[in-house]
Amino acid sequence: MSCLVPLCVSSLWTQGQETPPEKTDNSRHRCLFDRNPHLPTMETEPEKVRVSKAPGADSASYRCSACHGDEAWGPSLPTRGRAKSRSLSASPALASTKEFRRTRSLHGPCPVTTFGPKACVLQNPQTIMHIQDPASQRLTWNKSPKSVLVIKKIRDASLLQPFKELCVYLMEENNMIVYVEKKVLEDPAIVSDDHFGPVKKKFCTFREDYDDISNQIDFIICLGGDGTLLYASSLFQGSVPPVMAFHLGSLGFLTPFNFENFQSQVTQVIQGNAAVVLRSRLKVKVVKELRGKKMAIPNGLSQNGVLAADLDAEVGKRVMQYQVLNEVVIDRGPSSYLSNVDVYLDGHLITTVQGDGVIVSTPTGSTAYAAAAGASMIHPNVPAIMITPICPHSLSFRPIVVPAGVELKIMLSPEARNTAWVSFDGRKRQEIRHGDSISITTSCYPLPSICVRDPVSDWFQSLAQCLHWNVRKKQAHFPEDEDEDEEEAEEEAEAEAAAGEEG
């Protein structure tokens, strides 16, 4: 079964040209991210169109870098994820068009809709473009999933029994390969459990930041709160397998499943055709000046211990990349001074933040720190990036929403009295000094979160249950006797008025 493949308009140009048109310095990748309301709804499956190269053209010229896995800004990070072969899906009207025009869309890069080795979004015959009606987004499997990653909240004794029951069910009932983090099995309660010993020996273990399991996982199950989902996202810097999150933590806004009947729910997901919401992530690049004495040595390390692969040889800077699900937070850290950072959008300075800091969040992160800072809550299917100030020293600095396709760049202002600190989903906290920069845009790799019902219903359910959105004691209606008295008074007044007119 083939995967649903997004149509990347920015990778098309007029047929017959041997080379693509020249790019300007400020050109960025843009893909068609929304449905066209002016096109008719098709009753049959859209025709698949393959764009073949023009005679003499380079075979790679028709590849869209952002949609074909070219996520790296530079050579600092090795490519992760599986290589994917793709065809372009389009409507029959597009197939009959004689030439393709290179166009742009401000809705951001088209998300990769294959998740891990075996999962993808089920193609909807009534879909004009690759983004479907949120309530109709379904997950399917090219092949039956065989390997599952179980993420358990650490240092929580109440999760030991659910963790054991789930692992036994996956191994013995479904004959699946279960991956767990090594430190989970080091829990004294698991080590001392003799009955769990035979099952424990069958686990495949890994260590964060040491072992790359991105190509080995078909399916992810989280046991805990929202932090387990954020941790799962951090493990996959490329394509993310489908995630099924059980609510066993404190808040549980992102974990819609209850564990009581986990067997039937897991079986239903493994059999395929489950509802899914694509939670967009942020692609973040941190560029830092190399400070202090640096000398290259033969083993590939500089004198200060930084890997040579992490260095940009042209400008002598260190480049780090992150995939962020909730938000990037830039704050003043331990300093008592206001943070003073410049925010650029597509190379243009749009504002200077003077306050405790600024939050750049996804729609998923709009219900986290951004909501506490006064931002609006946005559904995960909305392609957008939110910019929310933290306690700004201004009466007019309101949170704003910008299109998902823009590129933000944040730097310390020249007038800043102190450094700033940045964190990514609350992790990897580090200091930002003068000359350093943080570039943020929408990632091509969303996190496919499996829903209990559908993306819209689950989201409003979480708003009501977790955040008590718009909870208020209802206004009482007027008693019936008062209504009758009012009607009688009105009738008497009308009668008196009529009598006065006759007199």
Side-chain angles (χ1 to χ4, degrees), residues 1 24 39 56 92 106-107 138 172 204 217 230 244 290 292 377 394 400 418 463 467 476 478 498:
M1 179 178 182
T24 59
L39 295 178
L106 287 180
H107 290 288
R138 312 292 297 180
E172 298 182 357
C204 294
I217 304 300
L230 298 175
M244 184 178 187
L290 292 176
M377 294 181 290
S394 169
I400 62 173
N418 57 292
L463 285 181
L467 299 182
F478 288 119

Side-chain angles (χ1 to χ4, degrees), residues 127-177:
T127 300
I128 302 300
M129 292 300 175
H130 72 281
I131 291 298
Q132 306 179 17
D133 174 20
S136 68
Q137 287 183 169
R138 312 292 297 180
L139 180 73
T140 188
W141 302 95
N142 291 326
K143 296 180 181 179
S144 178
K146 294 297 182 184
S147 59
V148 57
L149 169 62
V150 178
I151 297 179
K152 169 189 165 294
K153 186 178 180 181
I154 305 297
R155 296 184 298 274
D156 191 339
S158 64
L159 296 182
L160 291 177
Q161 188 59 32
F163 171 74
K164 296 176 183 179
E165 293 178 6
L166 176 64
C167 293
V168 170
Y169 173 76
L170 293 172
M171 289 182 176
E172 298 182 357
E173 299 294 333
N174 293 277
N175 196 26
M176 300 187 74
I177 302 173

Side-chain angles (χ1 to χ4, degrees), residues 454-494:
D454 61 76
V456 176
S457 299
D458 284 11
W459 192 68
F460 279 101
Q461 185 78 5
S462 295
L463 285 181
Q465 290 187 352
C466 300
L467 299 182
H468 302 290
W469 176 63
N470 198 25
V471 174
R472 178 191 183 275
K473 186 177 181 180
K474 291 187 177 181
Q475 186 181 48
H477 61 80
F478 288 119
E480 294 182 0
D481 53 351
E482 292 186 7
D483 293 341
E484 294 176 357
D485 294 341
E486 289 181 0
E487 292 177 0
E488 292 177 358
E490 290 177 358
E491 292 176 357
E492 291 177 358
E494 291 176 358

